[in-house]
């Protein structure tokens, strides 16, 4: 018996990184999984790699989470092909880092569009089904950057916005059997942090080593660390938890 037997989980931005790690965990625990990502071929390729259990399925859906028509079509396709929707993980994300005086309006709009508007559009499309069936789990991916991070005014604002959005959905949707929570990762070894290393003109391994050294638990995080927290919050064991943000960061946000 898996915690997600008979459930359908939709994870955005899951063709790689944290999203793929999370999709893998949902599949291992019995869910049918829809990987939603910008590139349909990449989404389908990732879905084909998931360790789905007997009786469950995995599909890849190409969609842009910051576009309402694309989101509505994606959610309807998931419901039609997988027979419903029970869990939504808003994970899709991008960075457009720069100091404020160099940050362009496009850098701002793009980051807000994917993280904040994307989470809003996906939650809105999914809640229709969740309310009808009086059951649903939403897990939004925030970040320790919500607490402030040099060069990330756009990303930080979006990730703290996610936390306010999560609290509000907790209040609004709780009466309908829907739990909404957030996970705020610290440094997780993915292509996103590899790209940061490249921007800083640092070797990826050296960048990870320095981040591990500075962390209270002396290591960097991996997608599996985030997947464990997300699946807990999406499980029925967490049904009395809503509106919360859990920091999964090895304690780095505690300060020194
Ligand atoms: P990643 O490896 O860059 O993966 C992000 C995925 O999201 C990519 O597959 C990307 O597709 C997809 N995506 C981007 N824009 C999209 C859109 N408009 N619609 C649908 N999909 C879209 O990132 P990650 O490191 O796994 O991060 C996942 C989430 O965790 C993000 O929300 C990120 O902000 C958050 N986070 C990450 C860290 C970390 O240390 N890695 C820390 C804190 C929070 P393309 O490849 O086609 O662009």
């Amino acid at each position: 018996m898996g915690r997600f037997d008979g459930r359908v989980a939709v994870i955005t931005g899951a063709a790689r990184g944290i999203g793929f790690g999370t999709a893998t965990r949902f599949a291992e625990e019995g869910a049918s999984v829809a990987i939603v990502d910008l590139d349909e071929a990449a989404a389908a390729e990732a879905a084909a790699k998931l360790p789905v259990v007997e009786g469950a399925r995995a599909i890849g859906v190409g969609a842009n989470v910051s576009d309402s028509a694309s989101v509505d079509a994606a959610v309807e396709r998931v419901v039609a092909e997988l027979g419903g929707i029970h869990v939504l993980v808003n994970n899709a994300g991008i960075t457009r880092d720069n100091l404020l005086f160099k940050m362009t309006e496009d850098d701002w709009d793009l980051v807000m569009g994917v993280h904040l508007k994307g989470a809003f559009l996906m939650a809105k499309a999914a809640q229709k089904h969740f309310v009808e069936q009086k059951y649903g789990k939403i897990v939004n991916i925030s970040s320790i950057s919500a607490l402030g991070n040099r060069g990330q005014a756009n990303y930080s604002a979006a990730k703290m916005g996610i936390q306010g959005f999560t609290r509000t959905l907790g209040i609004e949707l709780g009466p309908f059997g829907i739990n909404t929570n957030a996970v705020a990762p610290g440094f997780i070894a993915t292509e996103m942090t590899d790209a940061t290393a490249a921007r800083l003109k640092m070797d990826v391994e050296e960048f990870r080593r320095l981040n591990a050294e500075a962390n209270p638990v002396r290591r960097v995080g991996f997608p599996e660390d985030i997947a464990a927290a997300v699946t807990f919050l999406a499980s029925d064991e967490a049904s009395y938890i809503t509106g919360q943000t859990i920091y999964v960061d090895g304690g780095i946000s505690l300060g020194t």
Side-chain angles (χ1 to χ4, degrees):
M1 267 277 291
R3 284 188 296 181
F4 302 105
D5 285 350
R7 303 286 188 214
V8 174
V10 176
I11 300 114
T12 68
R16 63 170 196 238
I18 291 172
F20 183 70
T22 301
T24 301
R25 184 74 190 262
F26 274 108
E28 279 167 0
E29 296 204 43
S32 282
V33 175
I35 285 188
V36 173
D37 212 295
L38 271 179
D39 177 8
E40 168 114 13
E45 205 179 303
K49 289 188 202 143
L50 291 176
V52 282
V53 304
E54 210 183 313
R57 293 182 55 209
I59 60 169
V61 178
N64 178 355
V65 296
S66 54
D67 177 86
S68 61
S70 179
V71 162
D72 290 346
V75 170
E76 289 322 307
R77 190 173 143 198
V78 170
V79 171
E81 290 190 27
L82 297 180
I85 173 170
H86 306 96
V87 176
L88 166 65
V89 182
N90 283 312
N91 165 82
I94 58 168
T95 52
R96 290 293 182 276
D97 297 352
N98 231 327
L99 293 175
L100 181 63
F101 78 103
K102 285 194 269 188
M103 190 173 282
T104 65
E105 202 175 331
D106 265 2
D107 291 338
W108 180 270
D109 288 344
L110 274 170
V111 167
M112 289 296 157
V114 177
H115 293 275
L116 261 187
K117 188 177 172 194
F120 158 68
L121 292 175
M122 286 297 301
K124 197 170 170 200
Q127 64 83 38
K128 204 168 57 185
H129 301 278
F130 291 169
V131 168
E132 232 165 65
Q133 70 203 11
K134 293 259 184 305
Y135 185 94
K137 309 283 182 188
I138 301 173
V139 184
N140 298 315
I141 304 299
S142 176
S143 167
I144 52 165
S145 293
L147 302 171
N149 197 23
R150 189 179 161 79
Q152 290 199 312
N154 49 2
Y155 185 79
S156 161
K159 289 307 200 185
M160 193 48 108
I162 288 275
Q163 297 191 22
F165 179 63
T166 299
R167 292 173 66 95
T168 301
L169 295 198
I171 295 165
E172 285 188 20
L173 302 180
F176 301 98
I178 301 162
N179 296 75
T180 309
N181 289 291
V183 172
F187 187 107
I188 308 299
T190 68
E191 285 183 38
M192 187 179 270
T193 40
D194 292 353
T196 306
R199 239 185 346 267
L200 298 173
K201 300 190 180 8
M202 282 182 75
D203 173 66
V204 166
E205 287 312 318
E206 177 66 359
F207 188 52
R208 289 183 186 180
R209 192 185 62 75
L210 288 174
N211 274 280
E213 243 172 40
N215 192 289
V217 303
R218 301 287 187 266
R219 71 168 176 91
V220 297
F222 297 97
E224 294 78 6
D225 294 307
I226 304 308
V230 170
T231 48
F232 167 65
L233 290 171
S235 76
D236 291 332
E237 290 171 283
S239 62
Y240 203 50
I241 303 175
T242 201
Q244 304 303 309
T245 298
I246 297 186
Y247 283 77
V248 180
D249 65 352
I252 192 81
S253 60
L254 297 170
T256 46

